[in-house]
Amino acid sequence: DAKTTQPPSMDCAEGRAANLPCNHSTISGNEYVYWYRQIHSQGPQYIIHGLKNNETNEMASLIITEDRKSSTLILPHATLRDTAVYYCIVRVAVKGGANSKLTFGKGITLSVRP
Amino acid sequence: DAGVIQSPRHEVTEMGQEVTLRCKPISGHDYLFWYRQTMMRGLELLIYFNNNVPIDDSGMPEDRFSAKMPNASFSTLKIQPSEPRDSAVYFCASSPGVQAFFGQGTRLTVV
């Protein structure tokens, strides 16, 4: 699986958008970009994933650059409960999106301040 | 569904003892993952199964660790003998294909 690079930490004000960057310059054509987050003491939680088109769900939006070498996770209105470690993962799609290894890096710690 | 259920939530054991961690995946999910998390090493994938068959165990640190999945609704991770450096939070996750669902973890302390 391709490696990802994320800054170690960032913060944002409550109610503002949080834009979390991720570089994945060696991503292959059959690899998806996934985002998970881990709130303190809990298991990681799936947020969103995409291949090349931008994606949006009830939690967040995922913007993938045209060359697919980087992406941004956007939390449109961050709350204190969004304080967590966010992991960007690239992962081979096997047989129409089925699983392969799901490997976590260090992630980015997002601190939402009041 | 109750989600992925792990037991026990906390385990304290003495060095040299056998430890067994348990996981009940979400019904219908055919992938199961075991992870270990420490401050130093982060979240490490130990092993994963597809349809009860181990697919990749390259993350298992040494022969003291073993994992089994005797049926679709149950998996165990065993450490024998346990050592203080095995102290960590162990997570189990299951997946139907795209997203993985994690349990609350088992915090293991080996003294």
Side-chain angles (χ1 to χ4, degrees):
Chain A
D1 290 344
K3 185 181 165 120
T4 63
T5 305
Q6 300 176 257
S9 63
M10 66 176 289
D11 63 17
C12 76
E14 189 176 21
R16 305 298 293 268
N19 297 290
L20 286 70
C22 181
N23 286 323
H24 30 79
S25 58
T26 59
I27 192 169
S28 301
N30 65 345
E31 288 179 316
Y32 284 73
V33 179
Y34 284 75
W35 284 83
Y36 280 75
R37 74 179 182 184
Q38 186 174 24
I39 296 169
H40 182 62
S41 298
Q42 298 182 21
Q45 175 191 23
Y46 166 85
I47 301 173
I48 198 167
H49 76 285
L51 183 63
K52 53 184 177 181
N53 297 321
N54 297 338
E55 302 287 343
T56 295
N57 64 20
E58 65 279 2
M59 289 182 70
S61 294
L62 174 60
I63 309 298
I64 302 174
T65 57
E66 193 169 341
D67 63 6
R68 301 207 325 122
K69 293 182 186 294
S70 66
S71 60
T72 301
L73 179 75
I74 301 173
L75 308 178
H77 306 286
T79 71
L80 298 179
R81 288 176 295 179
D82 292 322
T83 292
V85 178
Y86 288 77
Y87 297 96
C88 170
I89 301 163
V90 292
R91 188 177 181 216
V92 173
V94 176
K95 293 182 182 178
N99 282 279
S100 62
K101 254 176 156 172
L102 180 60
T103 304
F104 290 77
K106 295 187 188 318
I108 177 173
T109 299
L110 172 67
S111 300
V112 181
R113 60 179 188 277
Chain B
D1 202 314
V4 176
I5 300 172
Q6 292 187 244
S7 62
R9 291 292 310 276
H10 302 274
E11 175 82 30
V12 180
T13 190
E14 291 186 347
M15 182 173 63
Q17 295 298 306
E18 176 180 296
V19 176
T20 299
L21 310 181
R22 297 173 175 79
C23 176
K24 177 178 168 50
I26 294 172
S27 176
H29 288 191
D30 50 10
Y31 286 84
L32 185 137
F33 303 81
W34 280 102
Y35 291 86
R36 175 174 70 176
Q37 187 169 36
T38 61
M39 287 292 292
M40 289 293 292
R41 301 176 67 90
L43 200 55
E44 302 174 276
L45 175 63
L46 300 178
I47 185 171
Y48 78 99
F49 296 82
N50 177 216
N51 292 322
N52 313 337
V53 176
I55 303 300
D56 188 334
D57 65 355
S58 59
M60 297 286 263
E62 44 196 281
D63 292 346
R64 298 185 298 106
F65 286 70
S66 62
K68 292 183 180 179
M69 192 163 187
N71 57 61
S73 59
F74 184 64
S75 177
T76 60
L77 178 68
K78 185 178 292 187
I79 308 172
Q80 165 64 18
S82 58
E83 297 182 3
R85 60 193 167 120
D86 301 331
S87 297
V89 180
Y90 291 80
F91 288 104
C92 173
S94 71
S95 174
V98 174
Q99 57 175 290
F101 296 80
F102 283 74
Q104 289 299 301
T106 294
R107 181 173 296 276
L108 173 65
T109 303
V110 183
V111 297

